[in-house]
Structures are given as structure tokens and as C-alpha cells.
Amino acid sequence: MDAGSAFILILLLLLVGLFALGFWQSSVAKRQHETVVTLSPARTRQVIESTFSKIFWADVQGPGDINKRRRTPNDSGATISIDIGETADGKTHVQAWMSAWKTRYGLVASGGSGLAKKVIKKLEQA
């Protein structure tokens, strides 16, 4: 195998690897995240709202109690939806997921797709 063939093979393997990484990141972004916290539903809502910058996130209609869409120049931002509910023992159950997104070549191409997980982590640390 000469140097040109080796270079093409390495380039091809790199492209396949990047595409596989993109599919993996897309599947991670589409996961639903949930937690149960001891905060009241009102305090939980405050913590969630503080996670979203007013500059980069807009309130939108959606399937959750809270729905935020990432502001982008081409209107392709992900929508993060969050449900808040009380449990029988007085704790607060929170579910967060990416409820709307744009794709490009089968991959999630929306900005802000990782914020659902960030919301859950912030609540668990509050």
C-alpha cells in the first residue's frame, strides 16, 4: 500500500468515525432525563428558569409544563420540555427532554440539545 492509499483509507476511517460519533450524540440528546428532588414545585420551577438564559432561550408552546426553544438565526434551535409533578411523599418529580429539533443528514443539528441533562444536574445540586 502506497502513501496515497493509506491517506485515503485513514481519511475514510476518520469520516466514518465522525459520523458514528454524531449518531451517538444524537441518540444521547434525545434521551429523557428525570429526577426526584426535595424542593417544592415552586422552588423547582425557579431553579429550572434560572438555568435558561433569557437571551438565548424563548418560551414556546409544547408538551411540558415548561417549554424553551433555543434562539438561533435560522430558527433551528432545540425545544427542551420539562414536566414538574409532586410525588405521594411530598417530593417533586421532574422530567426533561428534547421535544423538538432539526436534523441534518439524520443527525440532531439543533443548538441547545444538551440542556435537558443540565437542568436535571442543576436540580440535583440545588
Side-chain angles (χ1 to χ4, degrees):
M1 182 183 297
D2 65 348
S5 297
F7 177 75
I8 290 173
L9 179 62
I10 290 171
L11 185 61
L12 183 63
L13 289 174
L14 180 65
L15 289 174
V16 168
L18 288 174
F19 202 64
L21 178 65
F23 272 112
W24 176 76
Q25 287 179 326
S26 291
S27 69
V28 168
K30 294 176 188 176
R31 289 184 186 157
Q32 179 172 316
H33 304 279
E34 59 185 301
T35 191
V36 176
V37 294
T38 57
L39 303 171
S40 70
R43 177 68 182 128
T44 299
R45 182 177 285 275
Q46 289 174 342
V47 171
I48 291 168
E49 291 287 349
S50 72
T51 305
F52 293 92
S53 163
K54 301 284 186 212
I55 296 171
F56 295 114
W57 292 88
D59 292 321
V60 294
Q61 295 294 318
D65 296 326
I66 298 172
N67 302 283
K68 303 277 189 175
R69 185 182 52 79
R70 176 75 177 203
R71 296 178 200 260
T72 60
N74 60 359
D75 215 25
S76 66
T79 299
I80 304 297
S81 295
I82 302 162
D83 275 338
I84 302 170
E86 285 191 72
T87 62
D89 60 354
K91 295 181 180 176
T92 303
H93 180 245
V94 181
Q95 296 175 311
W97 70 98
M98 186 175 60
S99 60
W101 61 90
K102 303 281 186 196
T103 60
R104 189 175 304 134
Y105 307 113
L107 306 174
V108 171
S110 300
S113 59
L115 203 66
K117 187 173 184 177
K118 182 179 176 182
V119 165
I120 297 299
K121 284 185 177 182
K122 188 169 181 179
L123 283 170
E124 291 173 344
Q125 294 171 355

